[in-house]
Amino acid sequence: QFQGAATQTMVRSDKKSLKLDVALPKLACVDANVSSTALGFAWRAWRLAGATYVRDIPDLAEYTANPMSCRLPADALAAQTTYKFQVTVGFADTMTINSSATTTIVVGSQALVASILGGVEQAVA
């Protein structure tokens, strides 16, 4: 399962780290065909478009170098948009014995911040 609430909020300029709590099952009841207890991870993400989620999110591999988390840099997600992230975890050799977790990320907008070119203070003659 994901750490934190099932629905999380952020703004576009925030970094976001989606972390997993993962534990191996009791191996006494696992099929004898499983040759390893190494885990495999498959991350997917969707963007809400109208009433439907569409899979047009770029490859998540660059954000999931550590497969136990998805580290999204600032500005990776669009403002005023809802996303669904899912990870499927299973035994790496087959992935047929697996479990999935899903979380929703709501990206809001933030207040406009104005800045004046040339620094904090300027002299006007």
Side-chain angles (χ1 to χ4, degrees):
Q1 70 183 20
F2 283 98
Q3 294 177 3
T7 299
Q8 302 178 38
T9 59
M10 63 179 286
V11 294
R12 185 167 189 237
S13 61
D14 289 344
K15 295 178 185 177
K16 188 68 166 174
S17 184
L18 302 174
K19 296 180 181 177
L20 295 171
D21 287 326
V22 178
L24 287 171
K26 294 180 182 176
L27 297 177
C29 64
V30 173
D31 186 341
N33 293 327
V34 175
S35 61
S36 169
T37 57
L39 295 176
F41 297 78
W43 284 85
R44 294 176 192 81
W46 296 266
R47 175 183 56 84
L48 185 61
T52 314
Y53 280 97
V54 293
R55 255 188 100 192
D56 65 351
I57 307 299
D59 183 22
L60 292 173
E62 67 182 286
Y63 306 130
T64 58
N66 171 359
M68 293 282 291
S69 66
C70 179
R71 296 177 185 266
L72 300 166
D75 302 324
L77 302 177
Q80 298 299 100
T81 307
T82 300
Y83 295 88
K84 180 169 64 171
F85 285 81
Q86 179 186 54
V87 63
T88 300
V89 181
F91 289 107
D93 57 352
T94 66
M95 288 297 283
T96 56
I97 301 171
N98 63 58
S99 183
S100 294
T102 303
T103 191
T104 301
I105 305 295
V106 178
V107 185
S109 57
Q110 62 193 51
L112 182 62
V113 178
S115 63
I116 298 173
L117 184 63
V120 178
E121 297 179 18
Q122 288 186 340
V124 178

